[in-house]
């Protein structure tokens, strides 16, 4: 029978036991740190891949938060601009009601001057609203960029009022909308687009009536080329010529019931060449269709006489329309002049209100776009937060379970070490 002997080094055993206990203590400390922080990745060294994923998600969330703050600022500016356009519409509506009142045939010249003073106050209100700024001092209607006061005027004709900026509307993108609206489209007119012209009739003696309807564009192609020539000839100050229609001959006796009238048309600036005098015959007391103005037509109603004139001028802005109404109503010496001023003002104000309403509708579209962007960004934030949580957050149930298991193992290791440490040969030597 063979007997084997093995020699155990107690010092080596104790060193191994202490190292294992130290490792368990370190693991228990790490689990405790994870529980207190609520994260399974406290340092990048814990899990480099998860740490990178979490950092990337946090960066994207931070960028979304920045975009959302900018979007809120943009939304506030557009809300203010839309509200301001509503105030402009109300002021124009009040202006229109006063213009209708001025057409009352019982009013005297002094009454019309009083109304003109009221209209001046409303015009000033509209002009001030057009130059409004947001809470950051940015003009609400600066289009693609403008001075702090986008609209300048009144100045000497023909420019009258000008837009001191770059017309146009910047586009929205996937995370932003414009800060401002296109004030040029809202308040400035283009002759070939809007056909806003003011026709005034010279002084008419008592007992006669002579008035016109609104100017209309009959040939858009000719009107566009004429506008380009006028813009170049005036150095960019006038986008369409003005015309003076002067009656040089009127015959009502040669043919009973028929009036034969001859009129000349003077163009300023003269860009279309000389316009030959026109002779027309029409039933007495009926209307005359004036079609010799390039691209334009006008109907004259009443009883013309030699020396009567009709002046047709483009109105470059809603402010010009209001100024013309104030001037023509305030200076109307009789009912014929007042009727002409009121009819022209009403038609042109309606066109201007249509432009303002169109830009206000664009503001509503931008606000809807902002709501859509905000909703999409919120969804992305939720998704990115979920990605971050999966990468670095701790499953608390599993974390507590692991901690308790590690704690039990650590306690067992300590107790076993304490028991074994007491065993020694010297304990049995008396």
């Amino acid at each position: 029978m063979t007997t084997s002997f093995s020699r155990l080094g107690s010092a080596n055993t104790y060193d191994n036991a202490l190292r294992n206990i130290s490792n368990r203590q370190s693991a228990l400390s790490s689990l405790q740190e994870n529980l207190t922080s609520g994260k399974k990745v406290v340092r990048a060294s814990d899990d480099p891949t998860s740490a990178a994923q979490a950092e990337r998600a946090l960066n994207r969330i931070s960028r979304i938060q920045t975009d959302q703050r900018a979007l809120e600022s943009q939304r506030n500016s557009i809300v203010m601009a839309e509200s301001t356009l509503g105030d402009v519409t109300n002021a124009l509506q009040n202006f229109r009601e006063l213009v209708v009142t001025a057409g009352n045939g019982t009013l005297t010249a002094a009454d019309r001057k009083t109304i003109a003073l009221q209209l001046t106050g409303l015009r000033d209100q509209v002009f001030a609203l057009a130059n409004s700024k947001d809470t950051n001092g940015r003009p609400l209607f600066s289009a693609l960029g403008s001075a702090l006061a986008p609209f300048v005027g009144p100045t000497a004709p023909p420019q009258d009022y000008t837009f001191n900026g770059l017309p146009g509307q910047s586009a929205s993108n996937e995370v932003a909308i414009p800060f401002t609206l296109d004030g040029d489209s809202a308040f400035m007119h283009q002759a070939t687009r809007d056909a806003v012209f003011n026709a005034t009739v010279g002084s008419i003696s008592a007992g006669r009536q002579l008035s016109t309807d609104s100017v209309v564009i009959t040939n858009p192609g000719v009107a566009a080329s004429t506008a380009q020539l006028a813009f170049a000839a005036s150095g960019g100050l006038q986008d369409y010529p003005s015309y003076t229609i002067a009656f040089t001959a009127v015959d009502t006796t040669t043919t009973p019931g028929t009036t034969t009238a001859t009129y000349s048309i003077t163009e300023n600036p003269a860009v279309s060449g000389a316009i030959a005098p026109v002779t027309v015959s029409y039933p007495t007391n009926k209307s005359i269709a004036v079609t010799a103005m390039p691209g334009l037509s006008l109907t004259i109603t009443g009883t013309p006489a030699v020396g009567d004139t009709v002046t047709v001028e483009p109105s470059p802005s809603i402010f010009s329309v209001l100024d013309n109404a104030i001037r023509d109503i305030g200076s109307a010496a009789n009912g014929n002049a007042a009727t002409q001023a009121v009819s022209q003002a009403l038609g042109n104000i309606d066109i201007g209100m249509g432009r303002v309403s169109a830009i206000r509708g664009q503001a509503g579209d931008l606000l809807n776009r902002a709501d859509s962007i905000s909703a999409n960004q919120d969804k992305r934030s939720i998704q990115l937060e979920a990605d971050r949580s999966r990468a670095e957050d701790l499953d608390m149930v599993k974390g507590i379970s692991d901690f308790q298991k590690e704690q039990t193992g650590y306690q067992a290791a300590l107790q076993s070490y304490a028991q074994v440490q007491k065993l020694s040969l010297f304990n049995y030597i008396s």
Side-chain angles (χ1 to χ4, degrees):
M1 179 176 181
T2 303
T3 302
S4 60
F5 296 93
S6 59
R7 183 169 177 269
L8 298 177
S10 58
N12 183 57
T13 303
Y14 293 154
D15 288 342
N16 289 335
L18 288 174
R19 184 169 57 254
N20 291 332
I21 290 174
S22 178
N23 291 338
R24 284 185 175 275
Q25 185 180 25
S26 177
L28 185 63
S29 176
S30 296
L31 289 173
Q32 184 181 21
E33 186 177 18
N34 290 341
L35 285 173
T36 55
S37 65
K39 298 180 182 300
K40 64 182 178 183
V41 181
V42 180
R43 304 171 190 83
S45 59
D46 295 343
D47 187 343
T49 301
S50 295
Q53 292 175 348
E55 185 67 21
R56 185 162 54 248
L58 286 173
N59 288 337
R60 290 176 178 174
I61 291 173
S62 178
R63 186 163 60 247
I64 288 176
Q65 291 173 346
T66 301
D67 291 338
Q68 288 287 69
R69 287 194 296 269
L71 179 63
E72 188 62 26
S73 178
Q74 295 158 358
R75 188 208 305 269
N76 291 339
S77 294
I78 296 301
V79 166
M80 187 176 296
E82 191 275 336
S83 176
T84 301
L85 289 178
D87 294 337
V88 170
T89 299
N90 292 335
L92 290 176
Q93 186 62 43
N94 293 335
F95 192 101
R96 193 181 190 283
E97 292 174 359
L98 280 176
V99 168
V100 172
T101 302
N104 191 325
T106 62
L107 297 180
T108 64
D111 294 332
R112 287 189 285 269
K113 288 182 179 179
T114 300
I115 292 176
L117 291 176
Q118 296 177 270
L119 294 176
T120 300
L122 290 172
R123 187 277 315 276
D124 293 342
Q125 180 181 348
V126 171
F127 188 71
L129 289 171
N131 281 323
S132 297
K133 300 178 179 63
D134 63 13
T135 54
N136 295 319
R138 182 196 300 266
L140 295 174
F141 306 105
S142 63
L144 296 178
S146 74
L148 289 179
F151 299 96
V152 180
T155 56
Q159 63 268 33
D160 200 3
Y161 289 86
T162 57
F163 178 71
N164 192 11
L166 182 62
Q169 179 68 62
S170 57
S172 303
N173 57 41
E174 61 178 4
V175 295
I177 62 173
F179 273 100
T180 63
L181 297 178
D182 184 5
D184 182 79
S185 292
F187 299 102
M188 304 301 292
H189 295 152
Q190 297 177 14
T192 55
R193 180 192 67 189
D194 307 307
V196 181
F197 294 83
N198 186 56
T200 57
V201 178
S203 178
I204 304 297
S205 59
R208 284 197 304 121
Q209 297 290 328
L210 191 68
S211 61
T212 72
D213 64 356
S214 298
V215 176
V216 296
I217 295 178
T218 56
N219 192 324
V222 172
S225 61
T226 303
Q228 293 176 354
L229 293 172
F231 188 82
S234 65
L237 300 179
Q238 191 171 350
D239 68 348
Y240 214 89
S242 60
Y243 297 92
T244 300
I245 304 170
F247 287 90
T248 56
V250 177
D251 180 10
T252 60
T253 59
T254 301
T255 302
T258 300
T259 297
T260 300
T262 301
Y263 59 86
S264 62
I265 298 179
T266 303
E267 185 181 52
N268 183 32
V271 297
S272 305
I275 301 176
V278 179
T279 300
V280 294
S281 296
Y282 60 95
T284 302
N285 297 325
K286 298 297 183 179
S287 59
I288 309 170
V290 179
T291 58
M293 295 180 294
L296 307 178
S297 71
L298 178 71
T299 300
I300 300 176
T301 303
T303 54
V306 175
D308 287 347
T309 60
V310 176
T311 302
V312 177
E313 296 176 321
S315 295
S317 68
I318 185 62
F319 316 116
S320 303
V321 169
L322 304 184
D323 280 348
N324 291 337
I326 293 169
R327 180 198 64 201
D328 295 342
I329 290 175
S331 63
N334 51 42
N336 184 83
T339 299
Q340 177 67 17
V342 168
S343 65
Q344 292 295 303
L346 292 178
N348 291 336
I349 289 172
D350 288 343
I351 295 174
M353 292 177 67
R355 294 300 309 167
V356 171
S357 296
I359 301 302
R360 191 179 182 187
Q362 292 182 12
D365 292 338
L366 290 176
L367 293 176
N368 290 337
R369 172 65 177 159
D371 292 339
S372 176
I373 292 173
S374 182
N376 289 337
Q377 293 287 65
D378 288 341
K379 292 178 182 177
R380 290 185 60 191
S381 294
I382 293 173
Q383 179 184 358
L384 290 169
E385 180 62 29
D387 293 342
R388 183 209 60 77
S389 179
R390 283 193 297 269
E392 69 174 1
D393 284 352
L394 176 69
D395 183 347
M396 299 302 291
V397 175
K398 183 176 182 302
I400 292 173
S401 175
D402 291 343
F403 179 79
Q404 291 177 342
K405 181 175 67 176
E406 191 67 33
Q407 186 180 34
T408 300
Y410 179 60
Q411 290 174 348
L414 288 176
Q415 291 175 1
S416 64
Y417 175 75
Q419 293 295 327
V420 172
Q421 190 181 31
K422 295 177 182 179
L423 299 178
S424 172
L425 179 61
F426 298 102
N427 294 335
Y428 299 95
I429 298 175
S430 56

